[in-house]
Amino acid sequence: MIKKKASCKNILCSKHGPLVDTKSHCNNIVRFFFFENSYNPSPVSSWFQLASGIKEVVYISDLFDSFSQWCGPAIEYEAERSKYNSCLILALTRFNFIWSGLEAYIDSQSFPSCPDHRGIIIRGKINSVNYFLKNNYLNKYLPVKHYSELLSYLKELLFKHGGFGDPSELFLENNCVGSDLIGLKVVYKIRNLFAHGAFIFDDIKYLEDYDILDKLKLGKPIEIPIIIASSKIVLMTMQMLLLASEENLKFKVAQINESEESGVSAIKYLPKMHLKSFKYS
């Protein structure tokens, strides 16, 4: 009897979910910058261009371990470890380029500093961006579609992972950020764990708990959807940041192999570029 593979139902599901894949999402950011100034594209877009073109990373866990080749189960085990780590490194590599693109854009702008309740400045560029979005985005627009669902899914993943203490603390609003757009604050904390070598990548746990993770329907292994969800939140934040900070949004953004006249205005493009259902014309 052939066991029927269950279809994924989470917000990141590549086949049935509402969002374009992360590569395409990055490319859509690139297209915005290209059409904003075709003759002199922003250097910020280079980071998203790099992120959009990564298709595969190959990692071999036992590359220097000749002893594992003497045992059949060991070969199978190392093959699974290699597959897991290849997917993990791919997701993490793309995330790092996406994060660099965000920071490059932040550095190209001038965002107001965020004060605490006493009026004392809270340092940090991410605090400044969140403060800007809180005061300049939400008074004009709603969060882009499926942002809140993705944020809820990430929260669920963090609880299931177990390596973040009480994830609820990451989702607490403060003077700089409200609950509606708290995703960048959360992802910044996750990113710092990557940067400081404190994030737990447990491939042994993945192999031992494979069936458990399958029942949870949170993906196998759980670290990978955490990273992918974080990447998507950064990209959605970029969409909202561009909507709130760019002065000219009347130019048209076209699909690949189409003329500019066939596209839609940037103000319509930015809120929907991440959706599979979005049609340019």
Side-chain angles (χ1 to χ4, degrees), residues 125-143:
K125 63 176 70 176
I126 300 302
N127 285 326
S128 294
V129 169
N130 282 329
Y131 185 65
F132 172 81
L133 288 172
K134 179 181 178 181
N135 291 287
N136 294 274
Y137 180 83
L138 291 176
N139 61 350
K140 296 180 181 179
Y141 310 100
L142 295 172

Side-chain angles (χ1 to χ4, degrees), residues 92 95-100 102-103 125-126 154 158 164 170 183-199 201 226-227 230-231 234:
L92 186 54
F95 172 85
N96 284 333
F97 282 121
I98 290 170
W99 186 266
S100 293
L102 170 71
E103 291 222 26
K125 63 176 70 176
I126 300 302
L154 177 59
L158 296 180
F164 294 87
L170 298 177
L184 188 62
K185 173 179 178 281
V186 175
V187 174
Y188 176 60
K189 297 296 183 181
I190 296 172
R191 177 261 175 190
N192 283 349
L193 294 179
F194 298 153
H196 299 298
F199 191 91
F201 303 114
I226 287 175
I227 298 169
S230 297
S231 294
V234 174

Side-chain angles (χ1 to χ4, degrees), residues 32 35-36 141 242-243 246-254 260-261 263-270:
F32 168 84
F35 284 100
E36 182 183 37
Y141 310 100
L242 291 168
L243 267 171
E246 296 297 298
E247 295 182 359
N248 174 28
L249 294 176
K250 294 181 180 180
F251 64 91
K252 287 188 175 182
V253 182
E260 184 175 348
E261 290 73 21
V264 298
S265 65
I267 199 167
K268 291 182 179 179
Y269 176 79
L270 283 172

Side-chain angles (χ1 to χ4, degrees), residues 2 32 36 50 53 61 96 147 176 261:
I2 299 175
F32 168 84
E36 182 183 37
L50 288 169
S61 64
N96 284 333
Y147 173 87
C176 302
E261 290 73 21

Side-chain angles (χ1 to χ4, degrees), residues 115-161:
D116 66 10
H117 64 282
R118 298 166 295 176
I120 299 174
I121 297 300
I122 302 174
R123 298 177 59 186
K125 63 176 70 176
I126 300 302
N127 285 326
S128 294
V129 169
N130 282 329
Y131 185 65
F132 172 81
L133 288 172
K134 179 181 178 181
N135 291 287
N136 294 274
Y137 180 83
L138 291 176
N139 61 350
K140 296 180 181 179
Y141 310 100
L142 295 172
V144 295
K145 195 171 183 180
H146 299 301
Y147 173 87
S148 60
E149 295 169 59
L150 183 59
L151 196 58
S152 296
Y153 181 60
L154 177 59
K155 188 174 184 178
E156 181 183 0
L157 289 169
L158 296 180
F159 271 104
K160 297 297 183 183
H161 183 272

Side-chain angles (χ1 to χ4, degrees), residues 45-281:
S45 67
S46 298
W47 292 105
F48 297 103
Q49 180 70 54
L50 288 169
S52 72
I54 307 169
K55 292 187 66 176
E56 184 181 20
V57 171
V58 178
Y59 174 86
I60 303 174
S61 64
D62 58 338
L63 183 63
F64 297 101
D65 184 5
S66 58
F67 293 104
S68 65
Q69 301 304 312
W70 292 89
C71 174
I75 294 173
E76 293 178 6
Y77 177 80
E78 294 300 339
E80 286 298 313
R81 285 189 68 197
S82 297
K83 187 188 302 182
Y84 157 71
N85 282 302
S86 294
C87 293
L88 176 66
I89 296 167
L90 173 62
L92 186 54
T93 301
R94 183 173 286 118
F95 172 85
N96 284 333
F97 282 121
I98 290 170
W99 186 266
S100 293
L102 170 71
E103 291 222 26
Y105 182 74
I106 294 171
D107 290 342
S108 72
Q109 305 294 309
S110 179
F111 294 111
S113 298
C114 172
D116 66 10
H117 64 282
R118 298 166 295 176
I120 299 174
I121 297 300
I122 302 174
R123 298 177 59 186
K125 63 176 70 176
I126 300 302
N127 285 326
S128 294
V129 169
N130 282 329
Y131 185 65
F132 172 81
L133 288 172
K134 179 181 178 181
N135 291 287
N136 294 274
Y137 180 83
L138 291 176
N139 61 350
K140 296 180 181 179
Y141 310 100
L142 295 172
V144 295
K145 195 171 183 180
H146 299 301
Y147 173 87
S148 60
E149 295 169 59
L150 183 59
L151 196 58
S152 296
Y153 181 60
L154 177 59
K155 188 174 184 178
E156 181 183 0
L157 289 169
L158 296 180
F159 271 104
K160 297 297 183 183
H161 183 272
F164 294 87
D166 182 3
S168 295
E169 296 182 3
L170 298 177
F171 291 79
L172 296 176
E173 58 184 285
N174 55 35
N175 267 41
C176 302
V177 59
S179 58
D180 289 341
L181 289 181
I182 207 163
L184 188 62
K185 173 179 178 281
V186 175
V187 174
Y188 176 60
K189 297 296 183 181
I190 296 172
R191 177 261 175 190
N192 283 349
L193 294 179
F194 298 153
H196 299 298
F199 191 91
I200 300 171
F201 303 114
D202 198 345
D203 54 350
I204 303 299
K205 178 182 177 183
Y206 155 58
L207 293 172
E208 291 176 348
D209 292 351
Y210 193 91
D211 291 334
I212 296 175
L213 290 173
D214 187 44
K215 291 175 183 176
L216 291 173
K217 297 180 181 178
L218 295 176
K220 305 186 282 285
I222 201 169
E223 291 85 3
I224 292 174
I226 287 175
I227 298 169
I228 295 174
S230 297
S231 294
K232 300 292 285 183
I233 286 172
V234 174
L235 292 169
M236 288 183 179
T237 302
M238 273 297 302
Q239 291 172 243
M240 294 185 280
L241 198 53
L242 291 168
L243 267 171
S245 60
E246 296 297 298
E247 295 182 359
N248 174 28
L249 294 176
K250 294 181 180 180
F251 64 91
K252 287 188 175 182
V253 182
Q255 289 177 303
I256 298 172
N257 300 323
E258 283 189 341
S259 64
E260 184 175 348
E261 290 73 21
S262 301
V264 298
S265 65
I267 199 167
K268 291 182 179 179
Y269 176 79
L270 283 172
K272 299 180 179 179
M273 67 161 74
H274 62 301
L275 303 174
K276 289 180 183 177
S277 61
F278 176 53
K279 305 297 182 185
Y280 282 60
S281 57

